[in-house]
Amino acid sequence: MSSSSSSYNHQDFINKHIIPSITKNKTCSICLNHNISNPCLIPICLHAYCTACILKWSDFKRVCPLCKAKFSSLFVEIDVESLSYRTLHLSKDVKGSSSNVGGGLRFRRMGLMAHRRAIRIAGQELHAVNRRTRPLPRQRSFEQTDILQWRASIYEQNLRAVPCPSRRPLELGSIGRNNHKERLLQRIEPWIHREVHAILGDPNPAVLVHLVTSLFFSSLEEGTSRPSGEKINYLERLHPFLSERTITFWHELRCFAESTLNMETYDTVVEYVKW
């Protein structure tokens, strides 16, 4: 595989995504300043804010003020002349305000609600698997198998995943939008990272992962926000990076996202056929 196909062109990413996002988002929705000071971007949604504003915001919340997408890093020090930027990884802990008792209680309640939500989701996933008349048959075991090699072989052999029998709708407009988007992102981001690593041999494909997740969520929103006949060909935007693997990758991303299984269980039971 050529080196050009195994690394992502950061300058191309800046020209096609970062600069247009800064140009489109002219007002910081936190301070309402019409001229964003020292702009930075949230990677998953590419919404722009003043760097100082979003850093202060991130002390209390790690969700985008506009679309509620969760984030743990920021694109900062964006220089459109030299076509460069830096990824700032935020600390794991949200500081909150020690002097604001009400705010502290609110964040503790939010943490408790998130914990309960995680338990409920795990229960729903277990129920979805157990409600079948018979369990899904195991197709493989990974005790002595390199998963990355196995994933790469799927694309080399041009195999197509068979959608799981139990599936759920993905359109963001049909389910509690913000919560559904956060849960879906947490499920698919590790899968995307692994697949891109297997296809390109790049162990740190963070920028391409951000691009794929952005395109995937845009494709889900397209069904409810765009008139028919105005479809965007998302595969064309991925083809320069994934080339002939693009269709197989996008198909299986959809299959995994629609399934009710976690990544480990999905790997064990998913079936493949030739295209």
Side-chain angles (χ1 to χ4, degrees):
M1 189 173 297
S2 67
S3 60
S4 61
S5 64
S6 63
S7 61
Y8 187 77
N9 190 323
H10 285 227
Q11 293 184 349
D12 188 52
F13 180 75
I14 292 174
N15 280 322
K16 291 184 177 180
H17 300 284
I18 289 185
I19 293 178
S21 296
I22 294 175
T23 303
K24 183 174 69 173
N25 298 282
K26 295 181 179 180
T27 300
C28 174
S29 63
I30 298 176
C31 67
L32 302 182
N33 191 330
H34 292 291
N35 184 17
I36 294 180
S37 175
N38 190 17
C40 74
L41 297 174
I42 293 177
I44 184 60
C45 59
L46 294 180
H47 284 137
Y49 301 93
C50 301
T51 298
C53 292
I54 196 63
L55 285 176
K56 290 178 182 178
W57 175 274
S58 69
D59 283 344
F60 296 92
K61 292 184 180 181
R62 295 288 170 82
V63 296
C64 174
L66 286 174
C67 68
K68 308 304 180 186
K70 293 182 68 175
F71 65 91
S72 59
S73 60
L74 297 168
F75 291 156
V76 300
E77 299 175 11
I78 300 169
D79 190 332
V80 297
E81 294 184 358
S82 63
L83 296 180
S84 63
Y85 68 94
R86 182 171 68 89
T87 301
L88 173 65
H89 296 281
L90 303 173
S91 62
K92 294 183 178 179
D93 297 327
V94 177
K95 298 176 183 178
S97 175
S98 58
S99 61
N100 187 342
V101 177
L105 288 173
R106 182 172 67 255
F107 283 110
R108 282 196 291 274
R109 291 193 191 102
M110 289 172 64
L112 180 60
M113 290 172 62
H115 179 67
R116 290 174 176 170
R117 188 162 58 243
I119 294 175
R120 185 177 69 252
I121 294 168
Q124 290 171 347
E125 181 170 297
L126 181 62
H127 173 71
V129 174
N130 291 338
R131 70 184 177 182
R132 311 175 197 279
T133 56
R134 61 182 177 85
L136 287 170
R138 289 170 62 92
Q139 302 295 326
R140 61 195 62 83
S141 172
F142 295 103
E143 293 177 0
Q144 297 180 344
T145 303
D146 186 305
I147 293 183
L148 281 178
Q149 289 182 359
W150 170 64
R151 294 309 306 161
S153 72
I154 296 296
Y155 296 97
E156 290 168 1
Q157 298 175 65
N158 196 27
L159 298 179
R160 175 172 61 87
V162 178
C164 292
S166 177
R167 289 180 287 170
R168 53 188 165 193
L170 289 179
E171 286 69 21
L172 297 179
S174 63
I175 303 176
R177 179 187 173 90
N178 293 331
N179 288 338
H180 176 55
K181 185 174 182 178
E182 291 176 15
R183 293 197 302 269
L184 185 55
L185 174 62
Q186 291 171 1
R187 286 188 68 241
I188 68 173
E189 197 169 42
W191 188 92
I192 294 171
H193 188 284
R194 185 190 68 180
E195 299 300 293
V196 174
H197 185 182
I199 295 172
L200 301 181
D202 183 355
N204 185 27
V207 176
L208 186 51
V209 171
H210 287 309
L211 175 61
V212 172
T213 53
S214 176
L215 290 176
F216 187 69
F217 282 115
S218 295
S219 73
L220 299 185
E221 292 173 338
E222 181 183 333
T224 56
S225 63
R226 290 180 178 273
S228 59
E230 294 186 14
K231 302 286 185 181
I232 295 177
N233 193 333
Y234 297 98
L235 299 187
E236 284 186 358
R237 299 178 64 178
L238 289 179
H239 192 270
F241 313 107
L242 304 181
S243 59
E244 71 275 8
R245 318 290 199 214
T246 304
I247 295 177
T248 301
F249 169 82
W250 193 262
H251 168 78
E252 187 153 7
L253 170 57
R254 183 90 189 187
C255 288
F256 172 67
E258 287 181 340
S259 77
T260 58
L261 308 174
N262 61 35
M263 190 161 71
E264 291 76 15
T265 305
Y266 176 87
D267 287 344
T268 303
V269 303
V270 63
E271 298 182 65
Y272 291 95
V273 297
K274 275 284 187 180
W275 277 94

